[in-house]
Amino acid sequence: MLYVDTKMRVNGFPCKDPMAVNPEDFFNPAMLDQPRDTKNSKVGSNVTNINVINFPGLNTLGISLARIDYGPLGVNTPHIHPRATELLTVLEGTLYLGFVTSNPNRLFSRVVKKGDVFVFPKAMIHFQMNLAHDKPAAALSSLSSQNPGVISIANAVFGSNPPISDDVLATAFQVEKKLIDWLQSQFWENN
């Protein structure tokens, strides 16, 4: 089913009449073989998503992709995908990566290199970091949802609009409110 302007919807996205479907509906010139710029990112990484939002042919198929480019020491900051498990394949470089389980909060991490594969279970906080000081790295992630969603932990906690009360955050992090106010004043960007 494809994303077009009709009244029938599946997974929140309109479907295309099966008689009107053509080969182009199942093609996306994503150019995932091309490195993306990481120099303008505060965290040194750039994520290129291929999901139902920009590739309507994925609707109802339960899959999507993302290419992650990392500059030297670049980080794909801690985040979750609320609707998907992620299978990451290292295309180039060496990454330190991991995820944290819930109750107890246990970190599963390791260093992976080109050709290695690592899985992040659905809705677990996870991250990746390029360990090279002088070379970029890249990875390709397969996700088990056509619309996996992403919640960046730092952006959600310190950059929400309206902001979470600094009293709540100071208590949660057991720090002074001045530190929370400073963190909330920073420019938070999605990556």
Side-chain angles (χ1 to χ4, degrees), residues 18-176:
M19 300 310 292
V21 173
N22 65 65
E24 292 303 308
D25 295 322
F26 300 96
F27 172 76
N28 185 310
M31 298 187 296
L32 291 181
D33 61 325
Q34 301 296 312
R36 297 335 197 243
D37 179 32
T38 60
K39 292 182 179 110
N40 294 322
S41 166
K42 287 185 175 186
V43 296
S45 67
N46 187 335
V47 179
T48 304
N49 291 304
I50 305 296
N51 56 40
V52 71
I53 295 166
N54 58 18
F55 189 9
L58 295 177
N59 197 17
T60 75
L61 299 182
I63 57 172
S64 60
L65 286 173
R67 178 187 168 111
I68 308 106
D69 288 280
Y70 312 84
L73 300 176
V75 176
N76 189 8
T77 61
H79 63 283
I80 68 168
H81 301 290
R83 296 179 293 274
T85 292
E86 177 178 351
L87 187 67
L88 182 136
T89 303
V90 180
L91 300 175
E92 196 64 48
T94 302
L95 301 175
Y96 166 64
L97 50 68
F99 67 91
V100 178
T101 62
S102 61
N103 301 320
N105 295 325
R106 184 172 171 204
L107 174 65
F108 289 83
S109 66
R110 70 173 295 133
V111 173
V112 294
K113 60 186 182 336
K114 183 177 180 175
D116 289 344
V117 178
F118 194 87
V119 65
F120 302 107
K122 180 179 179 180
M124 295 289 172
I125 295 174
H126 61 282
F127 62 89
Q128 306 99 42
M129 179 180 183
N130 179 7
L131 293 178
H133 294 260
D134 58 348
K135 294 184 280 192
L140 187 66
S141 285
S142 303
L143 297 115
S144 65
S145 171
Q146 64 270 357
N147 189 16
V150 64
I151 300 170
S152 167
I153 305 307
N155 290 352
V157 172
F158 298 110
S160 66
N161 187 8
I164 297 172
S165 162
D166 57 1
D167 290 319
V168 170
L169 294 177
T171 301
F173 287 98
Q174 300 177 23
V175 297
E176 293 183 24

